Amino acid sequence: RYDQLWSDATAQCDSQTYALKRYQETTCRANKRRQSTFVQRAIWLARAPSSAFAERPSESSVPVHFSDLNWQGLVDGFVLNKHFDAVRTLIGSSQHVKHHSIETLKETLTYEVRPTRLDLRRVNALTQTRFDAEKTAYIQNLGNGLLILRGRGGTGKTFALVQVALHLARQGKRTLLLTYNHGLIADINRALRFTKEKDPSLDPLPVIETRYAFIQSIFERTFGRLAEKIVRRHIDDISERENFRLWALSKPDEFLDSLIPGECTGVWDQWCPLCRRRKMDVAHHGKKEVEGIWRDIYRKPDSFETLFDFVLVDEGQDWAEDQRDFIFQVFGAGRVVVADGVDQFVGQDRCNWDRGDIPINRRHGLRSSRRTKAATCQTVGEIARELGLSDWDLEPDPSTHGGRFTVIVEPDCRQAVESCLEIIEADQREEPTLKAVDNLICLPSSKMAMGINYAALFDQITEKLARDSWRGFDEDDRRTYPVRESQLRAIQYSSCRGMEGWTTICLGLDAFFDFQLRNPRINIQGLEASVRAKEGMFWKSKFDEKLAQESRLFAVNWLMIPLTRSIDHLVVHIRDEDSELCGILRNISDRLPGSIEWMHPEAPSD
């Protein structure tokens, strides 16, 4: 029993072991990694005497220790590693770039993370008492209805969620913040680390997870570890896994009934891999044995257990309705706070959390830019209007002066990356208190950039220049926040929501925009049904027009996300000067001289 839930100690030991190994492999510089050392697993039940267990396995690959543990018992419990070639003996120091020494491992595991000036600015803002419970009714009313925070990119929705979480922590409430991607989780965890150092009384700090990880953990706690292993083995598509787990959790009776040998109930019978697995086992082992196996594996939950008093949902506009309903089912609408991006939905349908049958605390609008300086914010607003977003209402914060917007027109992508890194260095020379980690580089995937691998170019150039980096486009790196102030942060566009940088670089932004125009994620069936119902027999011509409008709106919404990531300096790289985005930027530059600085020999001079 751990944190109010039954936990599998072996599973925890495994996850911690591999987390430690992955952490050992995190980048030292660019894409140079050190191989992880051999890790001996062990479980220590520190408060349980060995006499409390009548039977224990005589041999185990994971030795179990009890409250009477001593050093000799720990050593005697070590298991000989069968893969002798995998054992790497640690030596005092080594210049080998791939193997850890005691020195390099100690540096990796004990590095002191120091806040930059930008970190301290965030911490000061987070720890200010923004919410006065006597005056701010919707904060005082938390728990009595759904709270919705609505705003465009840069209005501080994620920041407001974290402030709500810290407000609740001061009252001893436990909060879960569900957000979009691991890069943003790393960013928030870094801020929370420094916030906790400034105010140790903040306890408990909010837990931050992706929606996918949250649903997976509840499924495993409810139906068992083996059920989760079978789902992962038989469902390759990540979104289908999430849908299956959600169906099982929302309708546990149907799910459990479908596991009894015989005909399954419900529409899931046709594709359910668990059902197929069961039927195959029936044919091989016999019906009676398989029925006993499934009955042992699965247990019907009486109710959902949760560790949290409140759940805070970031980017709520991109959730599906069944995911939204599950959150209401687990927590109750009164314990849900949602940040709803007005124009930042990138899924097929916008999710409406205000569904009409739940109590509402408040629908609170955020309009002032909490991130981008005024001049840059105004230029971004001009881009929005040029793109047809007539209702763009992001207002510059009058207290923030300055801001710059630079466009680099460069068909040579390698040269563009080098130029952008030079701009970051120049900006740091102008603001010596800023560090590399305060900046952000956004880049498209190879698929979006027609085969050009911006991530590889970034690695090659940072390695050549001996620059340190946090590679948020890498699966392992983005799960740990930057620990060195010398690390340049780089992330793909698909994961940049919620993040920010003093200087923000948007590499190949025209290629990214063109890709979204060509590949809109539109619910075509739902759109067709809507147009049919409205237009009757003449729906076809209207449908084509509506599809074109929705496809373009999808791409425009995506474009505005990276354009609202900068604090002081926004740098946009254009590869094709004949692209639509380049034309839009030139129109603005002609109409508003001085609003955009161009880096191109043929570009207009301002």
Side-chain angles (χ1 to χ4, degrees):
R1 194 79 171 168
Y2 182 75
D3 278 349
Q4 304 180 30
L5 294 172
W6 288 107
S7 298
D8 185 326
T10 306
Q12 286 185 300
C13 182
D14 285 346
S15 65
Q16 291 173 4
T17 296
Y18 289 103
L20 174 59
K21 290 174 76 69
R22 284 194 301 270
Y23 190 79
Q24 290 182 37
E25 295 172 348
T26 54
T27 53
C28 295
R29 177 174 288 135
N31 60 349
K32 290 184 177 180
R33 297 178 177 275
R34 296 187 188 272
Q35 298 171 347
S36 61
T37 59
F38 177 73
V39 177
Q40 168 67 57
R41 295 180 297 167
I43 294 173
W44 182 19
L45 305 178
R47 290 176 290 181
S50 57
S51 59
F53 298 86
E55 296 182 3
R56 301 199 307 274
S58 57
E59 293 183 3
S60 170
S61 61
V62 184
V64 181
H65 302 284
F66 301 93
S67 57
D68 55 355
L69 174 67
N70 55 40
W71 176 254
Q72 190 59 46
L74 178 65
V75 173
D76 291 344
F78 286 168
V79 178
L80 180 66
N81 180 24
K82 297 178 182 179
H83 304 286
F84 293 101
D85 59 339
V87 178
R88 299 180 184 88
T89 302
L90 286 174
I91 58 176
S93 62
S94 171
Q95 299 301 314
H96 200 293
V97 296
K98 290 294 184 184
H99 296 158
H100 268 298
S101 65
I102 294 176
E103 182 181 85
T104 60
L105 192 60
K106 183 174 68 174
E107 289 176 355
T108 299
L109 300 176
T110 62
Y111 192 90
E112 180 183 358
V113 184
R114 294 184 291 270
T116 66
R117 191 186 80 171
L118 199 57
D119 287 320
L120 293 175
R121 191 179 82 164
R122 291 192 190 104
V123 169
N124 289 336
L126 284 171
T127 52
Q128 288 175 353
T129 308
R130 178 180 179 183
F131 305 111
D132 187 336
E134 294 297 320
K135 298 179 181 178
T136 310
Y138 68 88
I139 293 298
Q140 189 177 15
N141 202 36
L142 280 172
N144 296 319
L146 173 67
L147 173 59
I148 303 176
L149 305 173
R150 286 202 175 108
R152 298 190 183 277
T155 53
K157 299 182 298 297
T158 303
F159 190 86
L161 284 184
V162 177
Q163 284 193 309
V164 170
L166 294 177
H167 173 81
L168 291 167
R170 293 185 182 95
Q171 301 176 358
K173 302 293 185 182
R174 302 160 301 172
T175 59
L176 171 67
L177 199 160
L178 298 178
T179 190
Y180 181 73
N181 63 75
H182 290 287
L184 181 56
I185 290 175
D187 228 29
I188 297 173
N189 277 328
R190 179 180 168 92
L192 289 178
R193 174 195 176 99
F194 299 134
T195 303
K196 178 71 172 178
E197 289 178 356
K198 180 178 180 179
D199 186 358
S201 66
L202 285 171
D203 186 58
L205 283 178
V207 173
I208 310 170
E209 284 187 325
T210 62
R211 181 194 66 217
Y212 180 90
F214 171 67
I215 292 175
Q216 176 185 331
S217 66
I218 288 192
F219 179 87
E220 186 171 336
R221 290 203 302 262
T222 302
F223 298 112
R225 189 182 181 200
L226 182 54
E228 172 58 25
K229 289 179 69 174
I230 293 173
V231 168
R232 295 178 70 86
R233 185 183 306 129
H234 289 276
I235 306 180
D236 294 329
D237 185 78
I238 291 179
S239 60
E240 287 189 4
R241 282 185 201 164
E242 185 176 36
N243 291 339
F244 182 84
R245 296 186 189 109
L246 194 62
W247 169 78
L249 288 164
S250 301
K251 299 181 179 179
D253 289 333
E254 291 184 25
F255 173 60
L256 292 168
D257 288 343
S258 72
L259 300 175
I260 303 173
E263 292 300 320
C264 291
T265 59
V267 297
W268 292 78
D269 177 49
Q270 300 301 317
W271 69 278
C272 169
L274 295 175
C275 296
R276 290 202 301 267
R277 166 70 180 270
R278 173 186 53 72
K279 290 175 181 177
M280 291 169 57
D281 286 347
V282 168
H284 188 264
H285 297 292
K287 180 175 178 179
K288 185 175 181 180
E289 180 181 346
V290 174
E291 183 173 352
I293 292 172
W294 286 113
R295 286 301 188 187
D296 288 341
I297 292 174
Y298 297 102
R299 58 187 185 276
K300 180 178 177 181
D302 294 323
S303 61
F304 293 111
E305 290 186 278
T306 177
L307 297 171
F308 306 102
D309 299 303
F310 286 85
V311 61
L312 314 180
V313 177
D314 197 20
E315 307 294 356
Q317 69 277 6
D318 273 331
W319 284 50
E321 290 185 355
D322 56 349
Q323 296 163 352
R324 171 203 66 190
D325 295 342
F326 178 67
I327 291 294
F328 287 155
Q329 180 182 358
V330 174
F331 291 92
R335 297 193 292 145
V336 178
V337 180
V338 178
D340 181 8
V342 172
D343 54 2
Q344 292 187 274
F345 61 98
V346 296
Q348 291 193 344
D349 291 300
R350 167 181 282 281
C351 181
N352 181 19
W353 288 78
D354 188 359
R355 66 184 192 187
D357 62 341
I358 55 174
I360 297 294
N361 176 348
R362 180 168 172 175
R363 306 170 186 88
H364 185 65
L366 302 170
R367 297 184 62 183
S368 179
S369 175
R370 296 279 179 178
R371 176 185 299 130
T372 306
K373 287 187 176 180
T376 308
C377 186
Q378 288 174 343
T379 304
V380 171
E382 291 298 322
I383 296 173
R385 283 181 280 276
E386 191 83 17
L387 288 166
L389 293 177
S390 57
D391 60 343
W392 184 265
D393 60 355
L394 183 61
E395 299 173 351
D397 186 340
S399 65
T400 60
H401 304 287
R404 292 178 292 163
F405 195 119
T406 300
V407 175
I408 300 176
V409 182
E410 178 56 73
D412 185 336
C413 299
R414 179 181 293 274
Q415 181 59 49
V417 175
E418 291 184 352
S419 298
C420 288
L421 295 185
E422 290 172 0
I423 288 176
I424 288 177
E425 288 185 350
D427 287 353
Q428 285 184 234
R429 287 194 295 270
E430 290 184 13
E431 293 282 348
T433 59
L434 292 171
K435 305 300 179 182
V437 74
D438 294 327
N439 304 304
L440 181 67
I441 298 174
C442 302
L443 36 88
S445 66
S446 297
K447 184 178 180 181
M448 293 175 176
M450 305 292 286
I452 297 171
N453 193 334
Y454 279 90
L457 288 175
F458 174 79
D459 279 345
Q460 292 167 14
I461 294 167
T462 51
E463 186 172 343
K464 183 183 77 171
L465 299 175
R467 298 290 298 274
D468 200 359
S469 64
W470 176 80
R471 303 161 69 250
F473 49 81
D474 181 87
E475 179 68 25
D476 291 331
D477 282 13
R478 65 172 173 243
R479 294 178 182 273
T480 304
Y481 57 76
V483 296
R484 300 182 293 276
E485 61 186 24
S486 59
Q487 287 180 287
L488 272 173
R489 294 179 299 142
I491 196 94
Q492 286 191 346
Y493 285 117
S494 57
S495 301
C496 74
R497 286 195 296 181
M499 302 187 72
E500 64 181 16
W502 181 263
T503 297
T504 295
I505 306 290
C506 296
L507 287 166
L509 189 61
D510 56 336
F512 170 73
F513 181 49
D514 290 343
F515 176 85
Q516 301 298 353
L517 285 170
R518 295 191 307 270
N519 300 275
R521 292 183 59 194
I522 303 293
N523 183 353
I524 295 179
Q525 291 180 337
L527 183 63
E528 180 179 323
S530 174
V531 174
R532 277 179 181 270
K534 184 177 181 181
E535 303 295 339
M537 67 176 65
F538 303 106
W539 70 275
K540 181 61 176 172
S541 60
K542 293 292 185 181
F543 171 74
D544 292 340
E545 179 183 338
K546 186 66 173 177
L547 178 60
Q549 292 174 353
E550 292 297 320
S551 298
R552 183 169 180 79
L553 182 60
F554 173 86
V556 169
N557 284 334
W558 248 124
L559 179 64
M560 299 311 296
I561 294 173
L563 288 176
T564 53
R565 299 304 100 199
S566 75
I567 297 173
D568 178 73
H569 192 182
L570 178 62
V571 181
V572 171
H573 163 230
I574 299 291
R575 186 176 180 226
D576 181 5
E577 60 183 340
D578 294 326
S579 65
E580 179 183 353
L581 181 58
C582 188
I584 289 172
L585 295 173
R586 288 190 184 280
N587 290 341
I588 294 171
S589 188
D590 291 341
R591 191 170 68 250
L592 299 171
S595 59
I596 298 176
E597 176 188 353
W598 290 81
M599 293 181 62
H600 189 286
E602 298 178 4
S605 58
D606 295 329

